[in-house]
Amino acid sequence: MGIDQSYLDYSSRDDRLSGGARQIPITTQVGSFNVWTKRIGNNPSLKVLLLHGGPGANHAYFEAMDSYLPAEGVEYYYYDQLGSSFSDKPDDPLLWETERFVDEVEQVRQALNLNRDNFVLLGHSWGGILAIEYALAHQEHLRGLVISNMMASAPAYTAYAEQVLMPQMDQTVLAEIKALEASGDIDNPRYMELLIPHFYEYHTLRMPADQWPDPVQRGFDQLNQQIYVSMQGPSELGMSPDAKLANWDRVDDLATIAVPTLVIGARYDTMDPAHMEMMANILPNGQYLFCPNGSHMAFYDDQETYFAGLLQFLRHLPR
């Protein structure tokens, strides 16, 4: 792979005036809206669309990609899903459904002219769910797929949190967290005061929260809670029983995804690394990348391993 002069030649790009940023119109069952994307680089044969997590986070925390992907000549796209950051933020719960998000991604793909010759979809966390669902619906458009730090089963994710991660926590702290959730008092500052040092700094990003890089801080600060709580629940401690994604499970469908797929897991992740390795073994053209020092955001706390593996996968995608 590697960079050449054409990577920085935007003379023929219709988004040259805006530096690669554009608002893409999408249609939904409740009206038309705009979602924001921004292109980095120029490579006709390799274009990566980044699906952020949350649900309801934004593109910001992917900005670590800027330190690695341009040097390898990868064209890539930041993208705020509907309801997030630079995209429109309608207030309609009918929009926060997985199938609707899949349709949104397909409309974005068409607008960006991504196709089977060049299109790689990378989804992290909730974005991994969305990437799996997109591949199941539209894999004919994909050259490759990356499922980063996401299990293929929400019930298994919740069970891992309850049976493996929660017993490792200070049980007094855990009891207080659960009491705040039970009373619906999740907006209480005490809730995050407990979660961040006792869980997030161990399993979301393994460094003191006051040292989290600026893109991560912006990603958390701008989280759309309406989307996040309705689809996931109040925190990363598994999914709430009443969350829209609580029963999502695609393990039995992975064998139908034929495109080359990289699954990325990490030792300290909120997601079970053994489950993610199992996913790679089920996928017909699956590979597994393990980040031994990483957590849920392994592209920060095990950055060298993460990007070495990701770029190796992208270099060797069949044409």
Side-chain angles (χ1 to χ4, degrees):
M1 206 156 45
I3 194 168
D4 59 36
Q5 289 303 309
S6 65
Y7 183 76
L8 298 175
D9 179 8
Y10 304 144
S11 57
S12 64
R13 304 297 298 238
D14 58 9
D15 59 3
R16 182 184 185 187
L17 183 67
S18 65
R22 61 183 290 195
Q23 294 279 354
I24 294 175
I26 61 162
T27 59
T28 76
Q29 72 271 36
V30 300
S32 298
F33 304 99
N34 290 310
V35 296
W36 178 91
T37 66
K38 179 177 172 64
R39 173 191 49 78
I40 309 291
N42 183 52
N43 186 337
S45 65
L46 185 60
K47 304 170 186 285
V48 180
L49 180 64
L50 302 170
L51 301 182
H52 64 69
N58 59 48
H59 77 281
Y61 73 84
F62 275 134
E63 289 173 9
M65 302 283 174
D66 293 351
S67 296
Y68 293 87
L69 271 57
E72 292 290 333
V74 179
E75 180 177 322
Y76 58 107
Y77 290 81
Y78 294 126
Y79 159 34
D80 286 338
Q81 297 155 28
L82 188 65
S84 298
S85 198
F86 295 148
S87 295
D88 288 348
K89 302 181 183 67
D91 183 14
D92 192 326
L94 292 176
L95 293 167
W96 317 135
E97 302 288 346
T98 304
E99 184 177 356
R100 208 249 357 123
F101 277 107
V102 170
D103 184 62
E104 176 185 319
V105 174
E106 173 59 7
Q107 292 183 62
V108 169
R109 179 198 71 80
Q110 293 178 24
L112 296 175
N113 296 312
L114 310 177
N115 58 61
R116 189 176 182 89
D117 295 331
N118 54 40
F119 178 29
V120 177
L121 189 61
L122 186 157
H124 172 259
S125 193
W126 142 253
I129 292 178
L130 185 52
I132 290 170
E133 289 293 331
Y134 181 88
L136 290 170
H138 300 290
Q139 67 177 305
E140 69 275 9
H141 300 308
L142 289 171
R143 183 179 173 199
L145 177 67
V146 181
I147 304 166
S148 178
N149 307 90
M150 187 65 227
M151 296 163 66
S153 168
Y157 156 47
T158 300
Y160 184 70
E162 293 175 346
Q163 298 168 18
V164 178
L165 301 184
M166 290 186 200
Q168 299 173 12
M169 296 175 65
D170 181 314
Q171 295 304 292
T172 302
V173 169
L174 180 61
E176 187 173 353
I177 290 170
K178 289 298 185 182
L180 288 167
E181 290 179 351
S183 64
D185 196 16
I186 59 172
D187 292 327
N188 188 324
R190 178 67 174 163
Y191 186 61
M192 294 309 295
E193 287 173 6
L194 294 169
L195 272 171
I196 289 175
H198 293 279
F199 189 75
Y200 284 29
E201 290 181 359
Y202 287 91
H203 302 293
T204 300
L205 178 51
R206 289 177 65 81
M207 60 180 69
D210 61 2
Q211 297 177 23
W212 285 0
D214 171 72
V216 179
Q217 298 282 9
R218 284 184 283 120
F220 273 84
D221 290 346
Q222 298 172 17
L223 182 70
N224 187 327
Q225 290 287 343
Q226 181 193 44
I227 305 174
Y228 182 77
V229 174
S230 68
M231 297 186 74
Q232 155 87 22
S235 80
E236 297 294 294
L237 275 170
M239 291 188 183
S240 298
D242 58 348
K244 290 182 178 180
L245 291 169
N247 297 314
W248 177 83
D249 190 310
R250 286 295 202 172
V251 173
D252 291 343
D253 300 307
L254 293 176
T256 67
I257 298 176
V259 299
T261 303
L262 177 66
V263 183
I264 305 176
R267 184 186 304 276
Y268 303 104
D269 203 341
T270 53
M271 305 290 164
D272 180 3
H275 179 104
M276 289 180 281
E277 184 174 18
M278 174 269 292
M279 291 165 58
N281 290 331
I282 293 175
L283 288 155
N285 289 292
Q287 302 176 37
Y288 181 57
L289 171 62
F290 178 64
C291 298
N293 298 311
S295 65
H296 195 51
M297 303 188 80
F299 43 92
Y300 284 98
D301 50 23
D302 200 353
Q303 194 168 80
E304 297 296 332
T305 302
Y306 187 99
F307 282 105
L310 173 61
L311 292 169
Q312 177 80 356
F313 172 75
L314 295 176
R315 285 188 199 107
H316 292 93
L317 279 173
R319 293 188 179 276

